[in-house]
Amino acid sequence: MLTTYVRNKYDLHWQKIIFAAVTGILVLGFSQKSQAQRYKYKRIYDEFYDEKLVHFGFLFGFGDARFNLYHGPQVASPSDTSRSIVSPGNFAFLVGGIANFTLSKHFDLKTGINIALYGREIDYRFNNSPNYPPELRESTWLEIPVLLKLKSQRRGNSRMFVDAGFKLGLEANVRKNAATTTRLNTKTGDFSIEYGIGFEQFFKYFKFTPELRFSHGLVNMYVAPTNPFSYSNAIQKLNSHSVTLYLMFE
């Protein structure tokens, strides 16, 4: 089985953005720690935050979404029609609500409901023929993540955390023009594992939390076409994949 994982120039652009986001989170964390050590007194905001059972908030997310794509054996044909099939990364946007439950000093349970806009794409590339027009599925998803968060000891008004869990997704709407002009069809439900790293910064009236999170779909979302001559017959498996920068406010 041949697995295709090819990034185009847009993927390289998003890698730079993601690297810059991670670097910014780490630099902000270390700068807050050094400042806390430099001054003997620093005002603590929302000092009894962790004594509350539940906190609510909202979030925005900006990310890169694509398919992890697996070829069928017919792709390796040496004929003029031999081809490769790739899924380049496309911009994704999310907005949603947060519910954070305090379990203990170092553990929280985090969930909520998100509305996500995805435009996942399949590109067909031929050896000796013009490339076939890409197939794009633009859709709106309703997502419910459930994550267990491990948080570090609070240092002044900041602390780091990691989290991991799963996400349930349901496709709520597909753009009409995408549905009528593309032959790409996928399942309308998904189940993903997720993990991420983030930084909490407490302010006077709210807590700001940037987080970089990775999502890997476990469901084979590929739906075989009814047309036996469709190019997508060369696909064997499609799994969702995304890398998202979340900006959360509680």
Side-chain angles (χ1 to χ4, degrees), residues 212-229:
L212 186 66
R213 192 183 303 171
F214 301 85
S215 178
H216 304 278
L218 301 181
V219 175
N220 182 8
M221 301 188 67
Y222 175 65
V223 175
T226 56
N227 183 357
F229 300 102

Side-chain angles (χ1 to χ4, degrees), residues 52-219:
K52 301 175 184 177
L53 178 61
V54 60
H55 300 88
F56 297 99
F58 61 94
L59 62 82
F60 299 97
F62 308 89
D64 177 78
R66 60 177 175 81
F67 286 118
N68 279 337
L69 190 150
Y70 299 83
H71 285 165
Q74 58 268 49
V75 175
S77 170
S79 68
D80 177 70
T81 59
S82 65
R83 56 195 178 276
S84 66
I85 308 175
V86 299
S87 179
N90 276 331
F91 178 75
F93 175 74
L94 302 89
V95 62
I98 309 168
N100 192 95
F101 299 90
T102 302
L103 301 180
S104 67
K105 182 179 179 180
H106 292 291
F107 287 96
D108 288 353
L109 182 66
K110 185 167 59 177
T111 185
I113 299 178
N114 300 334
I115 298 175
L117 304 178
Y118 295 122
R120 298 186 176 104
E121 183 179 335
I122 300 294
D123 286 355
Y124 301 91
R125 300 175 182 177
F126 297 83
N127 285 344
N128 302 311
S129 302
N131 291 337
Y132 186 78
E135 296 184 346
L136 177 66
R137 188 175 181 86
E138 296 178 284
S139 56
T140 303
W141 283 75
L142 182 67
E143 300 180 332
I144 303 177
V146 179
L147 303 166
L148 183 64
K149 179 170 72 175
L150 171 61
K151 52 193 179 182
S152 68
Q153 183 177 349
R154 180 171 171 174
R155 303 290 185 181
N157 290 313
S158 61
R159 66 184 170 199
M160 301 290 292
F161 71 89
V162 294
D163 56 16
F166 63 88
K167 179 179 67 180
L168 299 173
L170 179 65
E171 192 176 48
N173 184 42
V174 180
R175 285 187 58 182
K176 291 184 179 180
N177 59 345
T180 56
T181 60
T182 182
R183 282 169 291 277
L184 176 64
N185 192 22
T186 62
K187 295 179 181 178
T188 58
D190 196 13
F191 181 84
S192 309
I193 58 172
E194 293 199 326
Y195 54 90
I197 180 172
F199 176 78
E200 295 182 339
Q201 178 63 42
F202 292 84
F203 294 95
K204 186 175 182 179
Y205 297 110
F206 66 94
K207 183 184 73 173
F208 173 62
T209 307
E211 179 188 353
L212 186 66
R213 192 183 303 171
F214 301 85
S215 178
H216 304 278
L218 301 181
V219 175

